[in-house]
Amino acid sequence: AGISASSAILIEPFSGRVLYEKNAHEKRPMASTTKIMTALVATDMANPDEVLCVQGDCVKIQGASLYLEEKEELTLMDMLYGLLLRSGNDAAAAIGKHVAGDSSHFVSLMNRKAWELGMHNTNFANPHGLDDDEHYSTAADMARLGAVFLQAPLLREICKTEEYVSRELTTGKVRLFINNNKLLARDPRALGIKIGWTENAGRCLVAAAQVNGMELVAVVLDAPDLYTDVSKLFDYGFGKWRAQEFIPRGKVMDIVPVAQGKAARVALTTAQPLNFPVTAAEAISYSVHLDAPVLLQAPISPGQVVGKALVTVEEYVIEIDLVAASPVRKKVGLWSRLVNWLHNWWQR
């Protein structure tokens, strides 16, 4: 494909299927693509409406900046826009301090999240991505992170926004954040995510794109020609693969008995479809293992998650939530009905 990047990968994010890789498991610095994790941990731990007061040790941090001043107050939402669009290193520090009390605690939360996500070749040393020997990842790990980031509706919306105006809450001072990810303007398929650069890391990009309902995530690290690289990867991915629906949304996977229910049993259906990227020449089979209870307890509401289907396609295991297809109300016994009747009669 003639990719300039030292490391690169292309995946389909729902299945995790790898469509292309080049040195994808090589540990490298990843610059400001770090802020993908900063944003993810912040929205896990805090409400976007919270007001954040900028501390003195979070201003005048080198590199890209929002030029925050001590004691300024902004919502976490405004800070997230500044973090992901303008790549403010001061915003990263301020978010970390607000969410976890201090930077080192926030970094430990980032590393715990990385471990949970299976990013086993990644270590974070700070929330912004400035060079540090203990701060590194791989293209494969960053693609996994990008896939999880895309599942968060707020973050997905922020990273594709062209520009955003933030407002300081005490003085009313406004700042304009313009998205520094030029792929959004260059490639109509792009859904955004995050770009980064340091002297040591080179130019880095975690990018997502969509065509005909299929999404792909591309990562390039140390890529002199990062936008061309990523567009080439998307050309290759969308040109060669298509998403095949193996299991539709709402398919009945099991029927489970219900204890103390007005209905004796309830159907469990898939909460989302299972799509898997295939080439024209491939004939792929799959197997399903259900992780569902043998008995459910009423009451049950429709759409309630009650189990999982573990679908194995090739070497990939994909989890799909199983939900109750219909409501099941609790059966009220004779004694309870009598008590309710007496209670209602007494209230007259």
Side-chain angles (χ1 to χ4, degrees):
I3 299 294
S4 76
S6 297
S7 294
I9 196 167
L10 179 70
I11 69 164
E12 192 278 321
F14 182 70
S15 65
R17 186 174 197 186
V18 176
L19 310 184
Y20 171 89
E21 56 185 323
K22 173 187 176 182
N23 304 327
H25 299 280
E26 197 176 272
K27 292 177 183 173
R28 316 190 58 82
M30 63 293 197
S32 282
T33 61
T34 297
K35 293 174 179 127
I36 300 169
M37 181 63 94
T38 305
L40 203 59
V41 172
T43 49
D44 274 356
M45 306 290 294
N47 187 311
D49 297 332
E50 287 177 22
V51 174
L52 188 157
C53 182
V54 179
Q55 306 295 309
D57 55 355
C58 299
V59 302
K60 297 186 170 61
I61 292 175
Q62 70 181 88
S65 184
L66 308 189
Y67 303 103
L68 296 170
E69 294 169 24
E70 189 174 354
K71 294 196 171 65
E72 278 196 297
E73 293 189 354
L74 293 95
T75 62
L76 178 58
M77 177 83 86
D78 280 10
M79 285 294 215
L80 288 167
Y81 274 96
L83 178 80
L84 294 170
L85 268 56
R86 196 191 277 183
S87 201
N89 292 337
D90 49 359
I95 288 169
K97 186 125 186 176
H98 172 78
V99 170
D102 68 72
S103 184
S104 63
H105 185 206
F106 187 78
V107 168
S108 70
L109 294 175
M110 294 170 73
N111 283 318
R112 187 175 78 183
K113 184 76 173 177
W115 181 80
E116 284 171 9
L117 297 179
M119 297 170 64
H120 298 312
N121 293 311
T122 297
N123 190 68
F124 294 102
N126 59 59
H128 37 61
L130 288 172
D131 291 332
D132 186 301
D133 289 345
E134 294 303 305
H135 194 89
Y136 55 81
S137 187
T138 67
D141 280 3
M142 292 307 291
R144 186 173 293 211
L145 179 61
V148 174
F149 181 93
L150 281 178
Q151 290 169 19
L154 173 64
L155 299 178
R156 189 185 173 100
E157 183 57 37
I158 291 174
C159 77
K160 67 179 183 188
T161 302
E162 298 282 352
E163 54 181 54
Y164 180 84
V165 176
S166 81
R167 185 176 296 275
E168 202 279 327
L169 296 170
T170 49
T171 63
K173 177 180 177 180
V174 295
R175 290 179 170 90
L176 174 64
F177 305 142
I178 294 174
N179 199 326
N180 60 11
N181 179 1
K182 304 289 186 288
L183 191 72
L184 288 163
R186 289 178 52 151
D187 193 326
R189 303 167 295 188
L191 299 172
I193 300 189
K194 186 77 189 76
I195 156 181
W197 177 88
T198 67
E199 196 86 38
N200 194 30
R203 302 178 81 192
C204 303
L205 179 59
V206 179
Q210 184 176 41
V211 172
N212 296 330
M214 182 165 82
E215 294 185 358
L216 298 178
V217 171
V219 179
V220 291
L221 301 178
D222 185 27
D225 205 358
L226 79 170
Y227 294 125
T228 304
D229 280 357
V230 165
S231 285
K232 276 185 186 171
L233 289 172
F234 289 144
D235 289 346
Y236 170 72
F238 292 120
K240 186 170 180 182
W241 273 268
R242 63 180 177 81
Q244 182 176 328
E245 184 176 79
F246 283 28
I247 301 173
R249 179 173 183 260
K251 180 180 170 69
V252 175
M253 303 300 282
D254 202 2
I255 294 174
V256 177
V258 180
Q260 294 176 305
K262 286 196 167 182
R265 56 188 66 83
V266 67
L268 306 189
T269 62
T270 49
Q272 65 259 57
L274 172 67
N275 296 318
F276 192 81
V278 296
T279 65
E282 286 181 311
I284 290 179
S285 60
Y286 66 94
S287 62
V288 181
H289 169 75
L290 296 184
D291 180 8
V294 290
L295 179 71
L296 286 165
Q297 193 77 27
I300 297 164
S301 46
Q304 183 179 326
V305 178
V306 290
K308 289 188 183 306
L310 303 172
V311 186
T312 304
V313 193
E314 303 283 284
E315 73 269 33
Y316 300 94
V317 179
I318 305 151
E319 278 190 13
I320 301 180
D321 285 338
L322 295 178
V323 296
S326 52
V328 181
R329 294 172 65 181
K330 190 166 183 163
K331 192 192 288 178
V332 181
L334 185 61
W335 175 247
S336 299
R337 287 209 296 271
L338 183 61
V339 170
N340 282 340
W341 181 82
L342 284 169
H343 177 76
N344 292 336
W345 181 80
W346 191 257
Q347 294 294 324
R348 284 179 188 170

